[in-house]
Amino acid sequence: MTRRLCSLPRQSAPSFGPGLTAERLGALLAGRRMWVNGTVLHYCFLDARSDASVVPVPGTGELRRVPWAGGEEQRQLVRGCFEEWRDLGIGVTFAEVGDRHEAELRIGFQAGAGSWSAIGRDALSVGRGERTMNFGWDVTAPGERGAVLHQIGHALGMVHEHQSPSAGLHWDDEAVYAELADPPNFWDRETTFTNVLRRLDAGEAGGALWDPQSVMTLPFGPGLVLEPEQYRGGLRPPGTPSPADKEFVLRWYPPTAAAGPAGLLPFRSVPLGLGAGEQADFAVEPPETREYTVSTFGDADSVLVVFEERDGEPRFLAGHDDGGTPDNAAVRVRLVKGRRYAVRVRLYSTWGSGETAVMCW
């Protein structure tokens, strides 16, 4: 029998401006959800006292409150899974915080709500009072650790490997729909199509080759895959990051001196929330004296200027604001510990979701 599976919500297809080449579109699709290397991803566990969903009780017309908080044993397992990804040597690091407003990743344990995660930088567009990740069953049960590693893979920007166009899987569609409509998943047809049967575009897939051992491949029982023949008996990934998973994350997040205690970010990835023609200023107080990269990333054409604050007045250091910079802007500038700087960002146009963020590292 098929186990309980990751149930990502359906995402609308990204839309981009006209006139883009196929290569540009492929690059945008491949990288739009990935974090800037060197990012410190802060995560928090949501609180039973304030965080909950109100759901109907079937057949009664009544409502009940279902908390999002999990027990310490579950939280500890999730911490260990973050460490397992970190120990692959990737340039992204993780830090637990107690305040949801400081966390890019906000984790709940609402029973019965499925296990899922925002994919990569999609988490930046989720409201601060909402979850970006949920575990809908007891992940401390035997064999369930892989579900946690899988969701953290999504948080790093990875997608479902069994949906890769390179997989060449020929499903028995109606058998899949029937299997996942039954316990323990109770999925409707749209959820099944979104998470299993839909074939990803080449630009969305994690790599050119399919990896059936990937932690991002969901497990399935026999009778669902018609071809290739060797998978008629089911898909049974081991539930741990495979060598190809490690290769993928190290390609996007190679080890960097900017990650870890010696290279703390002056500020985290901050969603701008700006429209075309708008601008915002951000304060930077560097933890050490060195060269920094200050940049924007996301679905926008933008420019930025870095100022040093001296005697209450901004003094230009780097960047430009002539409207001529396409895509995402970046400058390299030397910042001195103990001094205060300002970064001014202006958006000239947006595409796709329009979500853009700023980072200094």
Side-chain angles (χ1 to χ4, degrees), residues 13-347:
S15 59
F16 300 101
L20 298 176
T21 65
E23 292 79 8
R24 173 82 182 279
L25 282 171
L28 288 170
L29 281 171
R32 68 190 179 93
R33 288 168 162 168
M34 307 305 291
W35 302 95
V36 171
N37 192 38
T39 298
V40 178
L41 286 176
H42 302 80
Y43 68 91
C44 72
F45 298 111
L46 296 174
D47 193 329
R49 295 169 296 178
S50 57
D51 302 309
S53 292
V54 177
V55 300
V57 178
T60 67
E62 298 178 351
L63 301 175
R64 67 186 178 99
R65 184 179 183 275
V66 182
W68 294 349
E72 178 57 27
E73 188 177 1
Q74 295 205 82
R75 294 195 297 270
Q76 191 58 34
L77 186 140
V78 173
R79 292 183 185 107
C81 289
F82 275 115
E83 292 174 2
E84 186 168 337
W85 278 107
R86 180 205 64 196
D87 290 346
L88 294 179
I90 61 177
V92 168
T93 56
F94 307 101
E96 183 178 349
V97 295
D99 184 347
R100 78 186 66 201
H101 298 288
E102 298 293 326
E104 292 84 15
L105 311 180
R106 296 174 296 281
I107 302 168
F109 297 85
Q110 183 187 342
S115 289
W116 46 264
S117 172
I119 299 178
R121 291 196 299 110
D122 285 353
L124 296 176
S125 62
V126 178
R128 290 290 174 172
E130 298 296 326
R131 292 161 291 176
T132 68
M133 186 183 298
N134 189 74
F135 298 104
W137 57 83
D138 182 6
V139 292
T140 65
E144 296 296 346
R145 181 182 176 88
V148 180
L149 292 166
H150 179 99
Q151 301 310 332
I152 296 174
H154 281 317
L156 287 169
M158 302 175 76
V159 295
H160 281 157
E161 182 69 13
H162 56 276
Q163 295 181 263
S164 168
S166 304
L169 294 174
H170 180 198
W171 299 91
D172 183 335
D173 291 7
E174 291 306 318
V176 175
Y177 283 127
E179 175 81 7
L180 297 180
D182 287 339
N185 292 290
F186 301 104
W187 283 1
D188 58 28
R189 292 176 72 91
E190 180 176 315
T191 301
T192 298
F193 179 78
T194 298
N195 288 277
V196 181
L197 298 178
R198 184 178 81 88
R199 184 171 295 180
L200 300 174
D201 294 331
E204 295 179 272
L209 299 177
W210 178 48
D211 177 20
Q213 301 303 303
S214 170
V215 75
M216 305 312 294
T217 296
L218 295 180
F220 295 95
L224 303 181
V225 175
L226 299 176
E227 301 291 342
E229 185 175 354
Q230 66 262 40
Y231 299 113
R232 291 181 185 175
L235 289 171
R236 297 183 178 86
T240 56
S242 69
D245 291 333
K246 180 176 180 179
E247 180 182 350
F248 175 82
V249 293
L250 286 175
R251 183 166 73 247
W252 282 100
Y253 307 124
T256 170
L264 296 175
L265 301 178
F267 54 81
R268 288 179 293 281
S269 165
V270 181
L272 295 178
L274 299 179
E278 297 178 336
Q279 72 179 34
D281 292 350
F282 297 88
V284 183
E285 296 180 352
E288 56 184 314
T289 298
R290 62 175 174 85
E291 292 282 316
Y292 289 87
T293 297
V294 185
S295 69
T296 61
F297 60 96
D299 301 337
D301 291 326
S302 57
V303 294
L304 59 80
V305 182
V306 180
F307 300 93
E308 180 181 6
E309 295 187 9
R310 288 282 187 93
D311 302 321
E313 296 292 332
R315 296 186 182 183
F316 173 84
L317 279 185
H320 54 86
D321 192 10
D322 59 9
T325 302
D327 302 332
N328 295 297
V331 298
R332 190 74 175 165
V333 61
R334 181 175 175 80
L335 304 181
V336 178
K337 180 179 179 179
R339 295 182 184 174
R340 185 178 175 86
Y341 300 86
V343 177
R344 177 166 297 163
V345 181
R346 176 173 295 179
L347 267 61

